[in-house]
Amino acid sequence: MARVLIIGGGIVGLSSAYYLHKAGHQVTVIDKGDMTDNCSHGNAGMIVPSHFIPLATPGMVSQGIRWMFSSKSPFYVKPSLNPELISWGLKFLKKANAAHVEKSAIPLTELSLLSKKLYQELSKEPDFEFDLVEKGILMFYKTEKAGEEEAHMAEKGRQLGLDMKVLSPADCMKLQPKLNLDVLGAVHYACDAHLSPNKLMTALLKYLRAVGVNLVTNKEVTKIETSNGKVSRVWSSWEEFTADEYVVAGGSWSPSIGKLLGLKILLMPGKGYSFNVQDNAEIMQIPALLAEARVAITPMNGGLRYGGTMELDRINNRVNMNRVKGIVESVPKYFPGLKPVVPQQKDIWFGFRPSSADGLPYIGRSNKYSNLTIATGHGMMGLSLGAATGLLVTEVISGKPTSININEFAPDR
């Protein structure tokens, strides 16, 4: 049994704590907040084996440049001389090629399917009710170009063993007869699922407290000591924490934690927005993705959660209302019967997705420190991949063979 200190109390940190405790380790989780409002709470709650294409793709470069000239676009990179952004951008450009996309598909699919299986198992545990629904997700499109791209993606998905079907508008209406459509078609990602992230995080926190995992809140890590190729202690202001094994699972704050260790964890925070509308849950039973608009809509807690955008910038507390308006205005173009209004700023949630330059998460041992494991960089799929990452972290620390091959996720790649 090892004493393990996890830095970060999001879905990856708490999932790691869950599986580490199950494996018999003594676990402490430390977080700079109270673990109730991080990026794991406000997302769309989608479990997405369908998302086997990393962010770094050839088409994303030209599309991203076009989007940068619209304040309502789904993707935005704030021009800056920030050296982290420059390093990130150069690696993104290097990896945005067909060979990288092809190479990434299998490991991403294996990671996603493992996570889905673990969520299925977790949902059967007592006190873990988080509304797991396995009806898939519908990716709607309005243009021939998007339809061709989605059909190609569906074919690739089927080659990977995923259940993905191209549907006509009439097929879509059979699945959701109350939903008024103005689309050319959709792809049904029947392999996908969704859940309530708020309920999942609440259940994890309650369970971990009950079994004696030490949850240390509102303590920001300010110093990390190392010696002889190992992490020796962690400081939060004047408080000291020691362990046998250490895990960096700090989400978008992981690079600043890495700096305390002399490590460069290359990722950028991608700000996303979401808001809830307590209406229309009976109209939409299956979550929707809007292909051209890059908007997600999920039935959740008796209403609908709308989410979208990816702003790459430094961590900040600004709410860009134009981005939120872009989400709102896109919805009736696909679903004329759904007309959400722009919410008040106080009702808009935002969080920072830790986005690696090549679109793959970092999971595994650090080459520099023998007792340090890194688990971050999941981008928009943190919740989807959280359970699998937690299990893999546990297997690494326990010295067991990992459930899947994690070489492509090596932190020092």
Side-chain angles (χ1 to χ4, degrees), residues 194-217:
H194 72 281
L195 54 79
S196 169
N198 306 69
K199 291 184 178 180
L200 172 63
M201 295 297 288
T202 299
L204 274 171
L205 286 167
K206 183 179 179 182
Y207 172 85
L208 293 172
R209 287 193 183 98
V211 297
V213 170
N214 184 21
L215 301 178
V216 182
T217 58

Side-chain angles (χ1 to χ4, degrees), residues 5-302:
L5 176 66
I6 301 169
I7 304 172
I11 184 62
V12 172
L14 296 188
S15 295
S16 299
Y18 175 84
Y19 290 107
L20 283 163
H21 170 78
K22 288 280 191 182
H25 299 291
Q26 182 182 326
V27 185
T28 295
V29 183
I30 182 172
D31 193 270
K32 63 178 186 52
D34 64 4
M35 305 188 196
T36 64
D37 192 33
N38 50 41
C39 203
S40 306
H41 288 261
N43 62 74
M46 295 180 174
I47 311 302
V48 284
S50 61
H51 285 39
F52 54 84
I53 302 294
L55 181 64
T57 62
M60 195 62 189
V61 177
S62 56
Q63 180 68 75
I65 291 171
R66 290 194 296 273
W67 275 335
M68 282 183 67
F69 294 98
S70 170
S71 63
K72 295 181 180 178
S73 68
F75 181 78
Y76 179 72
V77 181
K78 184 176 181 180
S80 168
L81 294 178
N82 174 3
E84 284 83 9
L85 176 59
I86 293 170
S87 296
W88 188 95
L90 289 173
K91 185 167 184 181
F92 180 91
L93 291 171
K94 182 179 179 182
K95 290 292 184 178
N97 59 69
H100 173 65
V101 171
E102 188 74 24
K103 187 179 180 183
S104 302
I106 290 176
L108 276 177
T109 301
E110 290 179 344
L111 186 61
S112 284
L113 290 174
L114 174 61
S115 217
K116 180 184 175 183
K117 173 176 169 284
L118 293 172
Y119 280 127
Q120 290 169 329
E121 292 173 357
L122 190 61
S123 70
K124 297 179 175 68
E125 292 290 319
D127 304 319
F128 272 97
E129 175 51 56
F130 46 85
D131 301 341
L132 180 65
V133 179
E134 297 183 62
K135 293 182 179 179
I137 294 170
L138 287 165
M139 171 68 87
F140 292 94
Y141 51 84
K142 290 182 65 69
T143 61
E144 294 284 358
K145 181 176 183 292
E148 290 172 6
E149 290 172 351
E150 288 304 319
H152 176 70
M153 179 106 74
E155 179 55 35
K156 288 289 295 180
R158 285 192 290 272
Q159 291 172 14
L160 291 165
L162 300 174
D163 188 354
M164 302 170 74
K165 300 183 184 72
V166 179
L167 305 181
S168 68
D171 295 329
C172 297
M173 287 300 296
K174 289 176 184 176
L175 287 175
Q176 298 197 117
K178 294 182 180 180
L179 188 62
N180 189 8
L181 300 177
D182 183 8
V183 298
L184 283 182
V187 173
H188 187 200
Y189 300 156
C191 53
D192 292 354
H194 72 281
L195 54 79
S196 169
N198 306 69
K199 291 184 178 180
L200 172 63
M201 295 297 288
T202 299
L204 274 171
L205 286 167
K206 183 179 179 182
Y207 172 85
L208 293 172
R209 287 193 183 98
V211 297
V213 170
N214 184 21
L215 301 178
V216 182
T217 58
N218 301 306
K219 298 283 187 181
E220 184 171 1
V221 172
T222 54
K223 181 182 176 182
I224 300 177
E225 294 181 11
T226 63
S227 64
N228 300 320
K230 286 190 170 187
V231 180
S232 53
R233 68 191 69 237
V234 166
W235 292 85
S236 173
S237 299
W238 60 88
E239 193 168 354
E240 172 190 351
F241 299 87
T242 60
D244 305 309
E245 296 277 351
Y246 296 82
V247 179
V248 173
S252 288
W253 284 263
S254 296
S256 60
I257 299 166
K259 284 180 181 177
L260 299 175
L261 288 156
L263 297 175
K264 185 173 184 179
I265 301 175
L266 187 60
L267 59 83
M268 285 295 295
K271 184 189 284 184
Y273 299 97
S274 74
F275 59 91
N276 299 318
V277 176
Q278 292 305 116
D279 196 7
N280 297 317
E282 76 285 352
I283 293 176
M284 182 178 289
Q285 299 295 314
I286 301 173
L289 292 169
L290 313 184
E292 296 89 348
R294 298 294 207 275
V295 166
I297 309 171
T298 309
M300 193 178 296
N301 304 331

Side-chain angles (χ1 to χ4, degrees), residues 289-353:
L289 292 169
L290 313 184
E292 296 89 348
R294 298 294 207 275
V295 166
I297 309 171
T298 309
M300 193 178 296
N301 304 331
L304 297 179
R305 175 169 288 180
Y306 296 86
T309 84
M310 173 74 95
E311 291 180 34
L312 294 182
D313 193 2
R314 295 181 188 273
I315 292 174
N316 62 77
N317 291 320
R318 294 189 301 271
V319 173
N320 187 328
M321 292 302 295
N322 273 341
R323 300 272 165 215
V324 180
K325 289 175 184 175
I327 295 171
V328 168
E329 291 170 5
S330 69
V331 175
K333 295 176 183 177
Y334 294 78
F335 313 127
L338 285 181
K339 297 178 181 177
V341 298
V342 178
Q344 296 183 43
Q345 187 166 318
K346 67 179 179 62
D347 296 324
I348 298 168
W349 179 93
F350 64 88
F352 300 95
R353 310 179 189 99

